[in-house]
Amino acid sequence: MELDNTKSSCFRSCKRKYYWQHIRGLQSDYGSSAIRYGVAWHGMMEGYYRYIAENGWGNKELAISAALENGRKSWDAETEKKNFIPDYRTFDACCKAFVHYLSFFAKDEEFIKILATETKFKCRMLPEDKQQETLLAAIEGGLFFTGRIDLQIEMNHSNWILDFKTTSQNISTQAARLNRSGQLIGYSYAGKEALKFVTDGCLVSIAYVSAYKSKKTGEYGEVSTDFARIPQIYSEKDLLGWKELFITTASDIQRAMDTNCFPMNFDSCYQYGPCSYTKLCEQNRPLEETVTEGFHVDYWDVMEEA
């Protein structure tokens, strides 16, 4: 079994959502503007820092050109997959935010060295005790933790993993949620075990973007952007605690697959607005008889992403 943070988190939030998304591979025909913006932002960051990793900080103009080109490629690839309802999160807004980002962190070259850009990993999970050994034994072929780390950097002579996130929520609210982020703890574990990149911690680069929508005209006003980098440092016990949960989740997934039992978690249906799969779940039909109009099959695997 190959399991990443996205799939394990999805299963814990709702087993039925995991079934629709990762067993059946169903995706809504309508996409999320927030996700498309985030994909384009990650593309820009990858293009920019990949150029710097290969050529140094000397030629910013070429680095910016590489960023915009890669961001456009990511935006177009995401746009081709689904239909979108336009809002303030346009590609032009993403480009303007990138220019603001460069001025906000203008002194990076003085103390940051880019060691590696987007790096995929596949880490075999080995047991720490008898209980984990028993759980892993039930998974045929073993369990592998997979994922992709955005950036590996050296900052002030210390190693850090840098992860990029976009949000329209208050930065301080997002920062508070990162304190016990399973994703970041998992990256710290993978950096050490799979990439031999022992870190002092993780830096989360948050890019805030938002705009006020007029109640009278329905038009969006000027787009606001802001940025922050939030450090997160985890202990060895944090890593072991994350590993225990990850293995337990994988065991639960195996059991659900063996029994074909994927019950709905009603507490997760409307966490941040309606779940995109509520149209399927609310039919209350047997899984194989559910009408999937408005969805298409598109399996997502972090190891196969370009």
Side-chain angles (χ1 to χ4, degrees):
M1 180 189 294
E2 293 186 9
L3 192 62
D4 56 46
N5 279 312
T6 299
K7 292 177 182 177
S8 60
S9 177
C10 177
F11 184 84
R12 287 193 294 270
S13 68
C14 179
K15 295 178 176 62
R16 182 64 57 85
K17 180 179 180 180
Y18 180 90
Y19 170 81
W20 294 130
Q21 193 166 30
H22 300 295
I23 302 297
R24 295 279 295 273
L26 294 178
Q27 301 286 343
S28 172
D29 291 343
Y30 282 89
S32 163
S33 293
I35 292 177
R36 180 172 62 172
Y37 184 94
V39 168
W41 184 256
H42 273 77
M44 287 185 184
M45 295 294 105
E46 167 65 12
Y48 181 70
Y49 288 111
R50 182 173 58 205
Y51 181 89
I52 291 173
E54 295 173 354
N55 303 282
W57 293 92
N59 196 325
K60 291 284 188 66
E61 290 186 3
L62 288 179
I64 292 171
S65 177
L68 298 179
E69 180 180 348
N70 203 55
R72 180 83 243 187
K73 179 181 176 182
S74 299
W75 175 275
D76 290 344
E78 192 70 16
T79 302
E80 291 172 0
K81 296 178 182 178
K82 301 179 180 181
N83 301 312
F84 291 87
I85 299 174
D87 65 10
Y88 63 90
R89 285 165 291 208
T90 63
F91 183 70
D92 184 56
C94 194
C95 292
K96 290 179 180 177
F98 178 65
V99 173
H100 185 194
Y101 171 88
L102 295 180
S103 63
F104 198 93
F105 296 112
K107 295 186 178 181
D108 276 359
E109 61 186 284
E110 297 179 8
F111 56 90
I112 289 181
K113 178 181 179 181
I114 310 301
L115 302 178
T117 55
E118 286 190 353
T119 305
K120 298 176 183 177
F121 61 82
K122 182 177 179 180
C123 178
R124 188 178 185 93
M125 304 300 283
L126 300 175
E128 300 287 341
D129 52 37
K130 286 292 183 181
Q131 183 182 36
Q132 291 184 10
E133 186 176 348
T134 301
L135 294 175
L136 288 170
I139 302 175
E140 184 178 354
L143 172 64
F144 294 86
F145 173 39
T146 61
R148 181 175 55 197
I149 291 175
D150 288 342
L151 213 60
Q152 298 167 54
I153 66 172
E154 180 183 302
M155 185 175 67
N156 294 329
H157 308 292
S158 298
N159 289 337
W160 291 81
I161 288 172
L162 200 157
D163 190 67
F164 298 107
K165 294 189 182 300
T166 56
T167 184
S168 59
Q169 294 184 322
N170 186 280
I171 285 182
S172 61
T173 301
Q174 285 293 312
R177 290 177 177 170
L178 295 173
N179 287 331
R180 304 297 293 172
S181 167
Q183 179 190 27
L184 297 178
I185 299 175
Y187 286 168
S188 294
Y189 178 89
K192 174 184 175 184
E193 298 294 333
L195 303 178
K196 308 306 178 187
F197 184 70
V198 180
T199 68
D200 289 88
C202 294
L203 273 178
V204 184
S205 179
I206 300 178
Y208 166 84
V209 58
S210 187
Y212 173 77
K213 185 177 183 180
S214 172
K215 295 180 180 179
K216 292 183 178 181
T217 65
E219 298 293 325
Y220 287 99
E222 186 177 353
V223 177
S224 299
T225 56
D226 198 7
F227 306 94
R229 285 177 181 159
I230 314 297
Q232 299 292 327
I233 299 175
Y234 304 109
S235 68
E236 191 65 28
K237 287 187 177 180
D238 290 330
L239 302 187
L240 292 175
W242 169 87
K243 182 178 181 180
E244 181 179 21
L245 175 61
F246 188 82
I247 291 175
T248 302
T249 301
S251 175
D252 291 342
I253 291 174
Q254 185 66 59
R255 188 180 304 111
M257 293 175 64
D258 292 342
T259 59
N260 196 33
C261 182
F262 297 90
M264 292 177 277
N265 178 8
F266 293 95
D267 292 330
S268 294
C269 293
Y270 287 88
Q271 283 291 312
Y272 301 101
C275 169
S276 59
Y277 297 100
T278 53
K279 295 178 182 179
L280 303 181
C281 297
E282 289 175 354
Q283 294 180 35
N284 289 317
R285 300 186 181 193
L287 297 179
E288 63 278 4
E289 297 178 11
T290 299
V291 178
T292 59
E293 183 180 357
F295 292 82
H296 62 278
V297 176
D298 183 15
Y299 286 95
W300 181 85
D301 188 337
V302 68
M303 301 303 287
E304 295 180 1
E305 286 286 291

